[in-house]
Each structure stands twice: as structure tokens, then as C-alpha cells.
Amino acid sequence: MSTARGEFSSRFGFLMATSGSAIGLGNIWGFPTNAASNGGAAFLFTYLLLAFSLAYPALMAELIIGRHTRANAVSALRQLATGPVSKKVGTGVGLAGLLTVSLILSFYSIIGGWMVSWMLEAITSLLGLDAAALWFATDAVPRNSLFVLVFMALTIYVVSAGVRDGIEKWSTRLMPALVVLLLLLILYVFTLEGATEGLRAYLVPDFSRVASPGLIVSALGQAFFSLSLGVGTMLIYGSYLSSEENLPLTGSMVSMLDTGFSFLAGLLIIPAIYVALANGVQIYDDSGALVAGPGLIVSLLPSLFDSMGMVGALVALAFFALMVIASLTSSISMLEVPVAYTVETFKTQRSRAAIVIGSTVTVVSLILVFNFATLFDFVVTLTTEYSQPLLGFFFAIFVGWIWNRNEVLKELQKGYAGAEHSLFWKIWPFYISVVCPLAILAVYVQLIFF
Ligand code: PFF
């Protein structure tokens, strides 16, 4: 069965694809702005704690289900179900994940499209084509619609090509480029005036903030979004992983790459905010809050690049290329979820499934573009704050309570001789059956009632 399905050709390919999914706008845009507005290192500290104590165990749950069942999320959860009720719940959770990830893709592709447009802005200003540059830089419905189409076309192109020739090939090409670009940008920003102050704001913690409930909710949401959890993405990538790989080790590498990248992105963005301040750019909005969200990337940073003169256009090009790469390796993992489901359930040809589903998502994206003010934030909050953690809760319940524990261990022992004596096996089952569900519920109650 596994030969008829796709499989990653190596651990490196798997790591690049999976960390490609994990590392995205959430790391470069979400994490630093969350950290900057939540007490800097206090947020970093809470985030790291939650990422390793809750998000990593949840990631392991998805990877292990995927590799064991070698199927998409819907069929996988149905396979693990032990009776009619759990079968129905499994189908519901799988389908809800599929819908959630498609909606995430519909807003993600808008931001991905902005990044393509800003990259073209940098290129055209380097070439002295000022009118074109202005068009690319001006937020408008025709521009945003066009670049949603471009971004989705790229995503569909990669997913159509399949697991090895599309997802793995492009992730292994793009991810190393991403890391190199990020490091170069960090080094450059460190040389600018104001950067040290930014570093201080990022790395010197304001511990009075650590226990604040708002901070914990944001940090957990950020950790789940960042590791692409709850929606079947990690499950489907796990289903393409060879049985010879040591799962806890590979999963921990993905978590470390993802959190490491967020940390590095913080080293770029937060100092850049302070450099912008030193250059006279407005970094607080009318209410006195730090410019965050889309405003940070598409207004604050461009004004910073502008204030640097000619070299600014080059830096802008590198920065937006970084954003495009990061968002593309994530968007392909999103589209893969409904595509894999359709190919496996209805025996549809992969490229046809990618085109039909990708086009449907594009239509939803365009609806968001045309109704941005009313719909965009609503869809972001619904999918990332409400849906993702709740679905993560159900994945944990499936692994912790429904799936037979000996079977879980058997899957783990593949590629990991002696897993039964490992520290991982001593801790993780308790975490996934008790700690993760309770913690997610606690955060959820907080979110809904406070
Ligand atoms: N992890 C991605 C990011 O941090 O930008 C976002 C993401 C990718 C969410 C894939 C969900 C998903 F299925």
C-alpha cells in the first residue's frame, strides 16, 4: 500500500517538508509580534515551555497516527475507531480538520499574495519602474485578487506534482534558502542604529507578564498554529514517512527547527521595529499599541526599507523573497490535506483534485478579499483560535484513549528498537491522554468565558 501512495525519499526530505509546513508566516510575522506585544522574553519563555510540553506531544500524536494508518485524516481516524460512536467522531474530526485547513489556506493565500506583490515592488523599484512599484505597493482589491490567483497557482502546481516530485523537491530547495536569507538579514539589521534596544526588548524578560492568562492563550494558539496542528497536515506528512525512521527523534527535530526559526525571526523583526523607530517611522498605532498583524509587515517594514535608500530595495527583496518561500512551503502542506483525502477516497487523479480543490479555495479567498473588513479577522479567529486547538484535543483523545496502547507502542518501535524503555514512552502516553486534553480544555474555557 505504501508504494502506491507517495513516500518521502529520506529523513532529510521529510524534515524539510515538515519543517517547511511548520515554518511560515506564523513564525516570521505571528511569533515576533506576539512576543513584542506580550513582554518580549516572557512570551518567548512561555511559548517554549508550551511548545515542548504540549505542542510536541500533540505533533507526535498526529505523526504516529499518520504513519501507522498510512492514510488521510478521515480514513485514519476511522481506522483507529473501536465502535460506531468513535467512528462517527473520527469522521467528523477528520472532515472538520479538512474544512479548517482549507479555510486557513483561504486567508493564508491572501497574505502570501501580498508577499509576492511586495517582492515585485522591490524588483521594480530596483529597476527604476516607479509606477509599477507603486501599483504593487498599493493595497487594492484588483492587486490583492491577482496575487491570490498567482499564489494559489504556485501552490496547486507543487501539490499536483506529488509527494516526492512536488512537495519534497520544492521544500528541500526552498528551506535551506530560507535559513540563509534569514541569517543574512539578521546580521544586516544588527548593524543598524536602534537594533540593540530591540534586542533588549526581546531578550530581557518582563516576568510580571508570564502568568497572565491572555499571554498563555496567545502562546498556546501560536504553538499550535506554528506546528500546523489539529488539521491533519502533520498526520498526512507522517503517513508519507518511512517505517524505518525513529518517530520521537524526527518529531523533536521538527519542533526544534520550528521553535528555533521563530526565535531567529524574533532576532530579525523586533530589532527591525526599533531600527524603524530610530529612523522616525511610527511604530505605535493611534491607540498606543505596537503596530502588529498585517500592518507590521506591509507598512512598518516597507517604511523601514524606504528609509534605507537604495540598499533598502535589496533588503526588501531578500525579506519578501523570504516571506514568499516560507508561506509557499506551508500552503502546499495545507492543500495536500484535502487533496490526499480526495485522491484516496474517490480515486481522483492527483492533479485534477489539486486543481479543483485549489480553485474552490481560491474562490473563497476572493470572497475574503472582497469583504476583507468583515470576514478576514473572523475566519482567522475561527480557524486558528477555536478550531485548531479543539481538533488537537480530539487527536489527543484518539491516541490517548481510543487507540490500543500496545498498538501505539508497536508503531513507535518501528525504527526505534527499545522504545518501550525510553524516557519518551515513560512520559508521553500520560501527556497525550491526560495533560494535553486538560490543558487544551483549560485554555479553551479561558478563551470562551473570559
Ligand atoms: N505552520 C504555519 C505557519 O506557522 O505559518 C501555518 C500552518 C501550516 C497552519 C499548515 C496549518 C497548517 F495545516
Side-chain angles (χ1 to χ4, degrees), residues 234-357:
M234 289 306 183
L235 191 153
I236 197 75
Y237 275 16
S239 80
Y240 304 138
L241 178 64
S242 142
S243 295
E244 269 133 52
E245 293 299 339
N246 175 329
L247 266 181
L249 178 71
T250 332
S252 68
M253 286 177 168
V254 176
S255 298
M256 281 192 276
L257 285 171
D258 183 53
T259 37
F261 198 93
S262 285
F263 175 73
L264 286 179
L267 288 181
L268 170 68
I269 303 289
I270 302 179
I273 297 176
Y274 283 80
V275 172
L277 180 67
N279 284 12
V281 175
Q282 183 72 29
I283 68 165
Y284 297 102
D285 63 20
D286 295 341
S287 67
L290 193 73
V291 176
L296 175 88
I297 303 286
V298 296
S299 75
L300 194 141
L301 291 179
S303 2
L304 169 67
F305 300 142
D306 261 358
S307 69
M308 295 173 181
M310 202 52 191
V311 68
L314 271 179
V315 179
L317 176 57
F319 178 76
F320 287 112
L322 176 95
M323 297 300 281
V324 172
I325 295 173
S327 36
L328 197 63
T329 50
S330 298
S331 66
I332 55 182
S333 75
M334 296 177 201
L335 185 58
E336 178 62 16
V337 175
V339 167
Y341 169 74
T342 310
V343 169
E344 290 173 9
T345 313
F346 306 107
K347 313 281 171 262
T348 320
Q349 206 190 348
R350 172 175 271 274
S351 55
R352 177 169 307 165
I355 292 172
V356 171
I357 298 168

Side-chain angles (χ1 to χ4, degrees), residues 431-447:
Y431 252 84
I432 205 65
S433 50
V434 180
V435 181
C436 284
L438 284 181
I440 296 174
L441 275 189
V443 172
Y444 219 69
V445 168
Q446 173 78 39
L447 182 71

Side-chain angles (χ1 to χ4, degrees), residues 26-314:
N27 303 63
I28 309 178
W29 160 28
F31 174 79
T33 49
N34 255 321
S37 27
N38 281 302
F43 184 85
L44 175 66
F45 175 77
T46 316
Y47 174 75
L48 289 179
L49 203 73
L50 293 179
F52 285 100
S53 62
L54 292 178
Y56 167 64
L59 169 69
M60 286 304 303
E62 284 199 39
L63 292 180
I64 203 166
I65 298 178
R67 196 177 70 172
H68 179 72
T69 56
R70 299 260 177 232
N72 65 84
V74 180
S75 321
L77 293 177
R78 287 175 66 88
Q79 275 185 49
L80 297 188
T82 44
V85 177
S86 53
K87 207 164 230 157
K88 278 208 183 83
V89 175
T91 311
V93 170
L95 289 174
L98 196 149
L99 193 69
T100 302
V101 79
S102 307
L103 279 173
I104 294 180
L105 180 56
S106 72
F107 77 73
Y108 210 83
S109 61
I110 300 178
I111 310 170
W114 291 344
M115 298 304 120
V116 178
S117 157
W118 276 98
M119 192 174 87
L120 294 176
E121 190 272 345
I123 296 175
T124 42
S125 21
L126 275 172
L127 298 173
L129 304 170
D130 293 342
L134 185 66
W135 191 81
F136 289 129
T138 309
D139 184 26
V141 169
R143 182 204 71 168
N144 294 345
S145 309
L146 174 69
F147 286 104
V148 159
L149 294 178
V150 172
F151 187 81
M152 283 304 298
L154 290 172
T155 306
I156 293 170
Y157 170 75
V158 176
V159 172
S160 303
V163 178
R164 268 191 205 184
D165 296 335
I167 297 174
E168 179 173 352
K169 181 164 114 188
W170 282 98
S171 304
T172 37
R173 281 182 185 169
L174 295 175
M175 291 309 288
L178 186 68
V179 175
V180 172
L181 270 180
L182 179 69
L183 292 176
L184 288 178
L185 281 166
I186 293 175
L187 288 180
Y188 177 69
V189 166
F190 276 5
T191 63
L192 304 175
E193 193 196 328
T196 335
E197 207 176 316
L199 269 185
R200 201 169 306 128
Y202 180 33
L203 298 177
V204 178
D206 172 3
F207 275 117
S208 63
R209 305 283 298 271
V210 170
S212 109
L215 185 145
I216 296 175
V217 173
S218 312
L220 188 67
Q222 177 66 36
F224 264 71
F225 184 73
S226 192
L227 273 178
S228 315
L229 294 178
V231 289
T233 305
M234 289 306 183
L235 191 153
I236 197 75
Y237 275 16
S239 80
Y240 304 138
L241 178 64
S242 142
S243 295
E244 269 133 52
E245 293 299 339
N246 175 329
L247 266 181
L249 178 71
T250 332
S252 68
M253 286 177 168
V254 176
S255 298
M256 281 192 276
L257 285 171
D258 183 53
T259 37
F261 198 93
S262 285
F263 175 73
L264 286 179
L267 288 181
L268 170 68
I269 303 289
I270 302 179
I273 297 176
Y274 283 80
V275 172
L277 180 67
N279 284 12
V281 175
Q282 183 72 29
I283 68 165
Y284 297 102
D285 63 20
D286 295 341
S287 67
L290 193 73
V291 176
L296 175 88
I297 303 286
V298 296
S299 75
L300 194 141
L301 291 179
S303 2
L304 169 67
F305 300 142
D306 261 358
S307 69
M308 295 173 181
M310 202 52 191
V311 68
L314 271 179

